[in-house]
Amino acid sequence: HASGISVLEYNAEKSIVLTGGADGDIRAWYFANDSFEEVLELEGAHAGGVVSVSWDPPRGMLVSAGADGCYRIWDVGADCRSRHAVGEVTELHKGSPTAVRL
């Protein structure tokens, strides 16, 4: 991330680390044998920084919230390797969202 990591979520079952950056990008990293392999980059996922991410491997869905006030739903697959936005909600609350959870 160009501006640092603002949020991190780890899924031990899949050995995936999700990161959201102050740059608005979301990335997923596969962790094994003491090394990371980037498996997903959602560049410009949010116009502002990413404030929260949550991933549900069985459904292959990732949800994110950004400082831009948007919540986005992504179809990333069970291995977090695809990148298809399936929904967006804006103006759900006044101000920026603070957390999401699937």
Side-chain angles (χ1 to χ4, degrees):
H1 295 278
S3 302
I5 294 172
S6 56
V7 64
L8 182 143
E9 181 177 296
Y10 176 63
N11 181 289
E13 180 183 324
K14 295 285 188 172
S15 297
I16 295 283
V17 176
L18 289 173
T19 59
D23 56 6
D25 295 352
I26 297 170
R27 295 183 180 170
W29 311 83
Y30 177 70
F31 178 72
N33 302 320
D34 295 329
S35 66
F36 288 92
E37 172 195 355
E38 185 175 5
V39 294
L40 175 73
E41 180 180 11
L42 298 171
E43 191 172 330
H46 289 277
V50 179
V51 297
S52 186
V53 292
S54 182
W55 175 47
D56 181 10
R59 290 187 283 183
M61 303 304 284
L62 182 147
V63 64
S64 62
D68 56 4
C70 291
Y71 298 85
R72 292 205 167 91
I73 302 166
W74 309 86
D75 180 356
V76 295
D79 59 359
C80 216
R81 291 181 187 260
S82 66
R83 60 188 79 194
H84 177 71
V86 295
E88 177 179 309
V89 177
T90 58
E91 299 180 15
L92 189 61
H93 298 282
K94 290 185 180 199
S96 296
T98 57
V100 291
R101 183 66 51 200
L102 281 174

